[in-house]
Amino acid sequence: IELPDAKGTLRRLSDTKGKVVLLDFTAYSLSASKARTLELRELYNRFSPKGFEIYQVSLDANEHYWQTMCEHLPWLCVYDANGETSQYIQLYQVHKIPSFFLINKAGDLVARMEQIEDLEKTIAKLCNE
């Protein structure tokens, strides 16, 4: 995945190799987005010193709204202007938004949202490997 961040810089998912990554497909316009962002911030604050990163792909229809919502977030926020027709949604077989995946330090996709019972525990385990 290679998409622009809020400043227009292309950011590659592959640049996060060597870290445990939560690949997150989302839309800030969703009603539950604010609460979810707070949960992600807690995970990020706890695990980023241990090599954890979030690569968040926004599929919002309104690019300006996305930029406003993500401008103060500490993780990688990128924007896919193709929204629901994104090639990355098809590639990762995303059927609902939000959806997330965990990638280990070697860059291997190790789990998708439906396979994870305890996200915090799984991230802790991957960070300590």
Side-chain angles (χ1 to χ4, degrees):
I1 298 177
E2 181 179 48
L3 291 166
D5 64 15
K7 295 179 181 176
T9 304
L10 288 177
R11 306 298 293 261
R12 291 182 202 93
L13 176 60
S14 61
D15 290 342
T16 63
K17 192 169 182 179
K19 295 185 176 193
V20 173
V21 179
L22 178 84
L23 170 58
D24 184 51
F25 291 90
T26 193
Y28 290 96
S29 57
L30 296 172
S31 60
S33 180
K34 287 183 183 180
R36 188 166 181 277
T37 298
L38 290 174
E39 291 172 11
L40 290 177
R41 187 179 282 272
E42 286 179 26
L43 287 171
Y44 185 84
N45 289 344
R46 179 165 177 209
F47 294 108
S48 65
K50 298 177 181 181
F52 175 68
E53 183 63 79
I54 298 172
Y55 187 95
Q56 191 170 53
V57 179
S58 171
L59 303 165
D60 282 285
N62 184 326
E63 184 175 0
H64 178 72
Y65 182 75
W66 161 73
Q67 286 177 327
T68 302
M69 296 304 292
C70 78
E71 69 182 333
H72 297 295
L73 295 177
W75 54 79
L76 295 170
C77 299
V78 296
Y79 183 72
D80 193 333
N82 294 312
E84 293 180 12
T85 61
S86 166
Q87 67 181 354
Y88 302 117
I89 284 181
Q90 295 169 10
L91 179 66
Y92 284 89
Q93 298 178 13
V94 173
H95 302 292
K96 66 179 183 172
I97 302 295
S99 281
F100 63 83
F101 303 83
L102 280 175
I103 299 169
N104 67 15
K105 292 178 180 180
D108 302 319
L109 186 101
V110 294
R112 63 182 300 134
M113 184 171 73
E114 298 83 9
Q115 300 167 320
I116 303 169
E117 290 184 28
D118 186 333
L119 180 59
E120 190 170 334
K121 199 177 281 187
T122 305
I123 292 170
K125 180 182 175 189
L126 289 170
C127 284
N128 290 326
E129 289 181 346

